[in-house]
Amino acid sequence: MDMKLEVVVLPVSDVDRARDFYVQRLGWRLDADFPIQDGYRIVQVTPPGSACSVIFGEGLTEQTAGTLHGLQLTVTDIVAAQEELTSRGVRVAGPFRDATGAFRHAGAAHRVPGLHPERSSYGTFAAFADPDGNEWFLQEITERAPGR
């Protein structure tokens, strides 16, 4: 049976500010904005090219706003992606790689500035945060590992 990640619920403190950030600043598609009733609102946005959407709003999660860290987006050209985000007014850290050469550590302690020396797939990252501090990573993947 296939199981596909369809939605990630994002904890935010101000729904309209989050909507503006994801739609206006990042350029993500606005799929829905349903003010169901007082205290219950659903906003769904989708990154360009993604099959998975992000939902935030009111009454959707008990998580504290800004507590999701490590959300990840894949891009084929991390330099171009960073330039596009920066041109949209988003502060992006990176590019960087992890000192181990593997995925990436939490926090910034093990970050080595710059692109992966061979610019190999899975080796280069950049990071940004939304207005609440939910942390997103970009990972450059130009060639998928076998079976992916």
Side-chain angles (χ1 to χ4, degrees):
M1 172 190 318
D2 286 349
M3 292 187 187
K4 298 177 182 177
L5 183 61
E6 181 88 10
V7 169
V8 172
V9 178
L10 193 65
V12 302
S13 62
D14 182 317
V15 179
D16 290 322
R17 180 180 69 173
R19 178 186 158 151
D20 288 347
F21 177 79
Y22 286 97
V23 175
Q24 302 302 319
R25 183 72 54 92
L26 294 182
W28 293 10
R29 184 182 70 226
L30 176 64
D31 299 322
D33 188 344
F34 299 121
I36 307 295
Q37 63 190 36
D38 191 37
Y40 188 55
R41 177 179 172 191
I42 304 164
V43 177
Q44 179 174 316
V45 296
T46 303
S50 180
C52 183
S53 296
V54 174
I55 290 180
F56 52 85
E58 297 175 38
L60 300 178
T61 181
E62 293 182 351
Q63 288 181 285
T64 303
T67 57
L68 282 186
H69 297 258
L71 297 162
Q72 187 158 313
L73 302 164
T74 60
V75 297
T76 56
D77 184 334
I78 204 156
V79 173
Q82 185 169 356
E83 288 172 354
E84 180 178 332
L85 290 173
T86 301
S87 76
R88 292 173 165 273
V90 178
R91 196 173 128 251
V92 182
F96 60 86
R97 61 189 186 282
D98 192 83
T100 64
F103 189 58
R104 59 175 165 69
H105 280 84
H110 294 88
R111 291 182 184 176
V112 176
L115 299 166
H116 186 278
E118 289 84 39
R119 194 97 185 247
S120 64
S121 279
Y122 303 95
T124 303
F125 299 88
F128 68 91
D130 73 8
D132 282 300
N134 293 301
E135 184 181 41
W136 292 87
F137 286 88
L138 304 174
Q139 183 180 33
E140 184 174 71
I141 301 176
T142 56
E143 185 177 328
R144 292 265 175 201
R148 297 274 314 174

